[in-house]
Amino acid sequence: MYTAGNILYFTPFYFPDGGSAAKNKYFIILKIDNDIGIIASLPTTKEHIPDFIEKKHGCINVDNIIMI
């Protein structure tokens, strides 16, 4: 289960600081080295995508955008 490339889904995920409400989160395991895992949190919302960007299923990449 804990091998590089696996995607983990926590429902709900409780944030360590306790300041945010619990919500469902995805994580991907990047590397396991000597029983220590390196993971990345995958964003699960679309709220920060500007309206003028075409939304498709999958990743959204816009190289020439400037976020303020």
Side-chain angles (χ1 to χ4, degrees), residues 34-55:
N34 295 327
D35 293 331
I36 296 175
I38 300 172
I39 65 170
S41 173
L42 302 176
T44 54
T45 63
K46 297 182 196 176
E47 297 173 26
H48 305 291
I49 301 172
D51 291 335
F52 61 87
I53 301 294
E54 182 181 357
K55 296 165 185 72

Side-chain angles (χ1 to χ4, degrees), residues 2-45:
Y2 296 110
T3 57
N6 282 2
I7 296 176
L8 307 175
Y9 180 62
F10 289 88
T11 178
F13 176 78
Y14 296 96
F15 292 88
D17 65 0
S20 300
K23 58 182 171 179
N24 301 338
K25 295 296 284 180
Y26 287 94
F27 294 87
I28 186 167
I29 300 174
L30 301 175
K31 182 177 182 178
I32 299 289
D33 189 15
N34 295 327
D35 293 331
I36 296 175
I38 300 172
I39 65 170
S41 173
L42 302 176
T44 54
T45 63

